Every structure is written in C-alpha cells, then in structure tokens.
Amino acid sequence: MIDAKRMRTVLRVRELKADSAALALARARGLVRVAEAAREAMEDHQRRIVEDASTAQISGEPMRVPPLLEYERHLARRLVEQDARIVGLERDAEAKRAEAEAKLRDQRVIERVLDRAAEERRVVVARADRKRLDEQSAIRAARARASLARRPE
C-alpha cells in the first residue's frame, strides 16, 4: 500500500513543476512572437526605404539613392540575423514544449497511482463492510434460531 500523504505531496510538487514548465513555454512563445513582429517591422521599413530610393531616382535626386540603398542592405543583413534569431527561439520554444509535456505526463502518472490507491482503499472498505454485515446477519440469524428453540411449544 502506498503512503497517500507522501504521494499527494509528490503530486503537488509535480503540479508545480508542470505549471512552471507551462509558464516557461508561454514565455518562449511570447519571445518568438515579439521577434517575428520585430522582423515584420524591419521588413516594412526596408520596403519603405526601397520605395524612397525609387522615388528619389525618379524625381531626379540621384544623390539620395546610394545612402538609401546602403541602409537597405544593412536592413537586409539585420533581417537575416533576425531570421536566425527566430529559428533559435522557435527551437527553444519546442524544447520547452517537450519539457512541459514530459512534466504533465509525470503528473498524470502520479494522479493515476493515487486513483488506483483510492480505488484499492474503496474495495478494501467495501469488503470489510460486507464482512461486517455478513457477520451481523449471521449473529442475528443465530439469535433468532436460538430464541425459536427456547420457545415452549
């Protein structure tokens, strides 16, 4: 028979670990979303720079074009770096997801053990109750037979 109090304590610890892993996963996913939003903002900015360079070329301001294109190349390099960062953050988030799933599995195992132990206790108690009721019935029947035997006819 397992120590139910100890198992409930273990279950509580496992629940806390699962909650902690879920929070870490949420944080990791949040970092991915923030990085993706930053990448989209950089991409929009890069597009506007290219449009400005095109407009400057068309409007007869060729001196503005080289610095704008240089800045656009800088943004392109930053986008590549941001893509690499996003891939790393997604990898971290996937690792956190796997860890959270493992912690939940551990928690479910302990819950099942506690459920089985509770079911075993219910079976033992039910068996003891049936035995007690059977004994009481046997005693009552014996008393009834004894009182019938003592009766004068």
Side-chain angles (χ1 to χ4, degrees), residues 20-22 24-26 28-29 32 87-103 105:
S20 174
L25 173 60
R29 285 183 176 163
V32 169
V87 167
L89 290 172
E90 287 173 341
R91 196 176 311 121
D92 290 347
E94 181 60 27
K96 300 259 192 251
R97 184 196 58 75
E99 181 181 340
E101 285 180 354
K103 304 264 180 180
R105 270 193 307 276

Side-chain angles (χ1 to χ4, degrees), residues 15-152:
E15 287 172 347
L16 291 173
K17 286 181 178 182
D19 290 346
S20 174
L23 286 174
L25 173 60
R27 269 189 244 112
R29 285 183 176 163
L31 289 174
V32 169
R33 282 191 300 275
V34 167
E36 287 173 341
R39 190 203 184 288
E40 287 177 23
M42 276 192 269
E43 199 170 39
D44 288 343
H45 190 60
Q46 181 187 28
R47 203 169 308 131
R48 284 193 306 274
I49 293 298
V50 170
E51 288 170 2
D52 286 351
S54 175
T55 304
Q57 184 71 34
I58 292 171
S59 67
E61 300 176 63
M63 297 302 290
R64 282 189 53 216
V65 174
L68 288 172
L69 292 179
E70 186 177 329
Y71 184 55
E72 185 275 333
R73 285 189 297 274
H74 168 73
L75 286 176
R77 286 189 298 273
R78 294 278 317 272
L79 282 170
V80 170
E81 292 169 1
Q82 189 68 8
D83 285 341
R85 182 171 180 252
I86 290 171
V87 167
L89 290 172
E90 287 173 341
R91 196 176 311 121
D92 290 347
E94 181 60 27
K96 300 259 192 251
R97 184 196 58 75
E99 181 181 340
E101 285 180 354
K103 304 264 180 180
L104 280 174
R105 270 193 307 276
D106 289 348
Q107 178 183 339
R108 284 191 214 114
V109 166
I110 298 298
E111 288 171 348
R112 281 194 298 264
V113 167
L114 281 172
D115 289 345
R116 285 187 199 129
E119 182 60 30
E120 286 175 11
R121 280 191 300 276
R122 282 191 289 276
V123 167
V124 167
V125 167
R127 214 176 277 143
D129 285 345
R130 279 195 307 273
K131 182 179 178 182
R132 185 178 44 83
L133 289 173
D134 288 347
E135 288 172 356
Q136 287 176 348
S137 296
I139 291 171
R140 283 190 189 122
R143 285 182 183 161
R145 279 191 302 272
S147 70
L148 283 175
R150 278 188 255 149
R151 245 192 227 167

